Amino acid sequence: MPDTCFGDAAVATALSPVVPPDRVVKTDEPLFDAVATPNDSGTRNGRLIFVAVLTAYFAITLFAWLRLGAWPMALYSLIVLAFAIWSVIGDARRRRQSERIRVWPDRTLVERIDGAGRRTSSEWQTGWLRLTVEHGRPGGPCLRLTSHGRSETVGAFLTGRERLDLANALVRHLGPAAVSR
């Protein structure tokens, strides 16, 4: 409905923006974002079933050894059970690790979570960052980010092929000058 004092002009200006919107929308989205985790072929339910079967087996054998009066074998069973539990806990800590690499035009951020759940991060200037691929190492190549006297290994828990794939993806987003082999 037109305004009584200004007519149709008041209605038209109320619906149109006063300042035209920017043609370029600035976002904080990274050019590259990768999350690397150790290989885990098991499932949570599979691990629970494994622990349940292991516990049942050791409970039955422990009871049988104690019933027969062979307490040294019962002690041996408890030691083996302790090592089995230790390995399951160690595997859970290994699976907790992760590494996230994000590349923006002006900076690169490497965030890590270690087996104990501690978080660390390091920020680098993308323009000065260099990626070194060191071949001839046991277990495949080693990827190292270097800049301004600092150096950091990335993707240590990945397989050799996965490290090369990560290196190729980083090269595309860091630029060809960032790679030394």
Side-chain angles (χ1 to χ4, degrees), residues 91-162:
D91 182 59
R93 289 178 61 95
R94 182 194 59 81
R95 283 183 282 107
R96 199 178 307 149
Q97 296 177 15
S98 70
E99 196 170 71
R100 185 174 187 181
I101 303 169
R102 291 186 283 178
V103 177
W104 288 273
D106 60 335
R107 71 187 192 281
T108 299
L109 183 65
V110 178
E111 299 170 309
R112 284 198 170 93
I113 300 175
D114 66 4
R118 292 183 298 261
R119 295 177 182 267
T120 59
S121 66
S122 59
E123 192 165 333
W124 308 74
Q125 294 177 0
T126 301
W128 293 98
L129 189 60
R130 299 294 170 255
L131 175 67
T132 305
V133 181
E134 299 172 1
H135 293 281
R137 298 259 180 140
C142 178
L143 304 182
R144 188 174 299 279
L145 295 174
T146 56
S147 177
H148 294 93
R150 290 190 311 160
S151 179
E152 187 171 333
T153 303
V154 293
F157 49 76
L158 298 175
T159 64
R161 171 45 92 195
E162 290 170 337

Side-chain angles (χ1 to χ4, degrees), residues 41-54 88 95:
S41 59
T43 63
R44 185 175 193 281
N45 287 338
R47 283 186 287 275
L48 289 175
I49 291 170
F50 174 73
V51 169
V53 168
L54 195 64
V88 169
R95 283 183 282 107

Side-chain angles (χ1 to χ4, degrees), residues 49-85:
I49 291 170
F50 174 73
V51 169
V53 168
L54 195 64
T55 303
Y57 170 76
F58 278 109
I60 291 169
T61 57
L62 181 65
F63 177 74
W65 289 125
L66 289 175
R67 182 96 170 133
L68 292 172
W71 63 268
M73 289 306 294
L75 183 61
Y76 173 75
S77 292
L78 286 175
I79 292 170
V80 171
L81 177 61
F83 277 113
I85 290 172

